Amino acid sequence: MSKRAVDAVFQALFLLSDVRFLLRETAPGHDLDAGQKERAATTLEKVKRQVAILEEELVR
Amino acid sequence: MKCAVDIESRDVEEMYINIDPIQAGGRLTVDAMKAAIAYGDGYSVCDNCLSPFRLDYIKKPPIAQFHADLAAWLNMDAVRVVPGARRGFQAVASTYVEKGDPVIVTALAHYTEFVAVEEAGGIPREIPKDAKNHITPDAAAEKIEAVIREFSKTPPLLFIDHVDYQFGNVHDVAGIIKVAHQYDIPVLVNGAYSVGIMPVDGKALGADFVVGSGHKSMAAPAPSGLLATTNEHAQRVFRTTQAKGDVTGRTFGIKEVEMMGCTLMGVTVVGMMASFPHVKERVKHWDTEVAHSQAVTDALLSIEGTKVLSDYPRQHTLTRIDTRESFDKVAQQHKKRGYFFSSELKKRGITGVIPGSTRVWKYNTFGLTEKQIRHVGESFVEIARENGLNIV
């Protein structure tokens, strides 16, 4: 049982929900201001870390 | 993109500014989206359901605390979550109305109030609206008197919509309740368009029951809602079952008759709970929401021939507008007829106006950002200008 993998799945989905919310806030143009771009970048970096954990736990 | 076999993913809120009159207050918060991911399974909140085995006693997730917090927030004594406001109406009507009883509703009441009365065997009688589309305490008093004369008995219940769905007008609920209480008639306040988007204080209103809609105004998945009441009425409307099996001798503990036992056993209640901190915060910014509504309404009114049918200045984010002398004139000459309007809006990333509507229609600006509000207002004006309407 990999609790670490399960947590990473949830964490990644939650982070992607933050991105989804950002898309809603900025609809229809999705023209992000500087602060929103920074939020997006930080969130996507965190998503990558969770995906890396999943690769480590499930694939390697 | 499909999310399952024949089901398209819904990306309306991501791709467009949605001004649909009934959808605005029910858009999920980001925390509700996350809760929906974690609690999508059917009986997902029941993992730690311990004796006495009822939803509002569950401590993990903190559903019991949520019930207490909801009651305190509404300044009422007891709350149950229900599958939509209509189930709150149904529970109260089923408890208080006997076959043949007259029940007071209003000329602006939602149809589910009528249906709840009908199911209980009651006979609805409407308080008429005045010329300004308001339900007034005086009209309530006149109707109560007329109904007592007609039926030779006092109605057991009165429904009043805090904010009506037709005009988005805010009614003098406290005044109407005061009148009803002079006749000892309990009052149910339909807060489907108020609880969760604007401040509501049940005791200050004098309400016997406050009903809210999770999916309409509390940023929760459907079907969800709440029924709040006072200590005086809680014992009756939340009475527990006395049923006993004649063969098995089974009894059913503290399950509540009107709730049919438990109500929201999964994503609906958790969605409500996840959004609740945001909901409590957002009602404090109601003035900003009303200002946004006003800005869009003013943009529409700058188009010659357009009239607002709701109260003006606006006091709510739901608005009914009459464009028979503006956009409908364009529609009569346009090759797309009435569909030109929704089509032009869609081109600009705006949705939620019924396709084909150019006469009398509604929109709701709740929850939009400043930038989105500006875009909506400017888009209406731009469409008008491009189609030869005068801007005044």
Side-chain angles (χ1 to χ4, degrees):
Chain A
M1 165 163 96
S2 174
K3 176 78 169 117
R4 193 164 173 253
V6 172
D7 285 348
V9 165
F10 276 118
Q11 195 55 48
L13 289 169
F14 295 160
L15 288 162
L16 287 172
S17 296
D18 289 329
V19 177
R20 183 181 180 193
F21 199 73
L22 189 59
L23 290 171
R24 287 179 168 214
E25 275 181 336
T26 56
H30 303 137
D31 183 17
L32 278 59
D33 64 25
Q36 289 165 330
K37 278 183 185 167
E38 196 181 321
R39 251 169 69 199
T42 308
T43 307
L44 291 172
E45 208 44 56
K46 287 180 181 170
V47 172
K48 285 179 197 165
R49 282 208 290 278
Q50 299 306 317
V51 172
I53 291 170
L54 287 168
E55 284 175 338
E56 225 173 81
E57 291 289 315
L58 303 176
V59 184
R60 281 177 204 162
Chain B
M1 188 177 78
K2 289 193 178 358
C3 60
V5 195
D6 289 324
I7 306 169
E8 283 293 331
S9 295
R10 180 176 183 267
D11 58 8
V12 168
E13 308 293 347
E14 287 75 21
M15 295 300 294
Y16 301 96
I17 296 171
N18 185 5
I19 55 171
D20 186 293
I22 66 169
Q23 292 182 336
R27 267 191 292 267
L28 296 190
T29 60
V30 70
D31 286 337
M33 285 179 194
K34 293 174 186 178
I37 289 168
Y39 280 85
D41 294 315
Y43 282 111
S44 58
V45 301
C46 307
D47 298 333
N48 297 291
C49 181
L50 308 171
S51 176
F53 306 113
R54 205 172 77 193
L55 184 79
D56 53 309
Y57 281 78
I58 293 174
K59 290 193 172 126
K60 192 179 170 190
I63 298 172
Q65 187 59 49
F66 177 56
H67 279 74
D69 293 346
L70 272 178
W73 175 65
L74 283 170
N75 197 14
M76 296 293 279
D77 298 322
V79 166
R80 298 291 183 270
V81 291
V82 291
R86 63 194 67 194
R87 297 296 182 181
F89 308 152
Q90 186 183 38
V92 176
S94 166
T95 301
Y96 286 80
V97 179
E98 301 287 339
K99 193 170 187 323
D101 280 348
V103 178
I104 309 281
V105 293
T106 78
L108 297 172
H110 193 257
Y111 79 91
T112 52
E113 295 169 33
F114 283 81
V115 176
V117 170
E118 182 179 7
E119 192 191 28
I123 300 162
R125 286 290 182 263
E126 296 170 289
I127 305 169
K129 63 185 175 74
D130 69 8
K132 292 178 176 171
N133 300 309
H134 275 259
I135 306 297
T136 65
D138 286 347
E142 277 177 34
K143 192 68 186 191
I144 291 168
E145 288 287 347
V147 168
I148 291 172
R149 280 196 302 275
E150 182 187 356
F151 288 83
S152 300
K153 61 178 166 182
T154 304
L157 187 62
L158 183 149
F159 289 79
I160 175 72
D161 294 26
H162 192 185
V163 175
D164 72 85
Y165 76 97
Q166 295 191 38
F167 296 92
N169 288 346
V170 183
H171 299 276
D172 180 6
V173 167
I176 290 162
I177 291 174
K178 208 169 167 189
V179 166
H181 283 177
Q182 285 167 5
Y183 296 86
D184 290 328
I185 303 172
V187 177
L188 182 154
V189 176
N190 175 3
Y193 279 104
S194 59
V195 173
I197 61 167
M198 59 188 274
V200 176
D201 181 327
K203 292 267 169 69
L205 292 174
D208 299 282
F209 305 97
V210 174
V211 170
S213 170
H215 53 263
K216 197 167 266 165
S217 295
M218 296 180 76
S224 59
L226 62 85
L227 167 60
T229 189
T230 59
N231 284 330
E232 184 192 348
H233 295 285
Q235 289 291 325
R236 197 168 161 197
V237 74
F238 299 141
R239 67 198 176 280
T240 54
T241 176
Q242 303 299 308
K244 187 175 183 180
D246 67 322
V247 173
T248 61
R250 287 179 301 156
T251 56
F252 305 95
I254 61 163
K255 301 292 190 204
E256 292 168 336
V257 175
E258 295 297 346
M259 298 298 109
M260 293 295 287
C262 296
T263 51
L264 310 183
M265 285 87 87
V267 69
T268 41
V269 70
V270 172
M272 277 182 95
M273 289 165 64
S275 281
F276 189 48
H278 302 277
V279 163
K280 280 195 290 187
E281 183 58 32
R282 75 187 192 181
V283 301
K284 296 176 190 166
H285 305 287
W286 178 237
D287 287 350
T288 303
E289 294 291 346
V290 173
H292 284 171
S293 172
Q294 184 68 35
V296 171
T297 304
D298 283 341
L300 278 161
L301 291 178
S302 75
I303 301 162
E304 194 172 45
T306 300
K307 298 184 197 109
V308 61
L309 301 178
S310 306
D311 282 343
Y312 187 88
R314 295 299 303 122
Q315 290 176 28
H316 198 272
T317 56
L318 170 67
T319 302
R320 186 170 183 163
I321 200 93
D322 178 348
T323 52
R324 282 176 292 192
E325 295 299 319
S326 53
F327 290 123
D328 194 57
K329 295 246 176 196
V330 176
Q332 286 166 25
Q333 307 299 323
H334 203 282
K335 63 178 178 191
K336 289 186 182 171
R337 308 298 285 179
Y339 292 92
F340 97 91
F341 187 49
S342 55
S343 167
E344 287 296 324
L345 285 170
K346 206 149 197 177
K347 266 192 229 165
R348 290 163 174 83
I350 299 165
T351 190
V353 175
I354 297 171
S357 297
T358 47
R359 294 172 65 77
V360 174
W361 47 281
K362 295 186 285 186
Y363 59 91
N364 196 334
T365 57
F366 187 79
L368 302 185
T369 64
E370 290 279 349
K371 194 174 172 184
Q372 289 172 323
I373 288 292
R374 269 200 308 278
H375 181 72
V376 172
E378 286 166 8
S379 295
F380 283 136
V381 171
E382 193 178 82
I383 294 167
R385 197 175 273 132
E386 284 179 8
N387 285 279
L389 297 173
N390 289 330
I391 308 301
V392 290

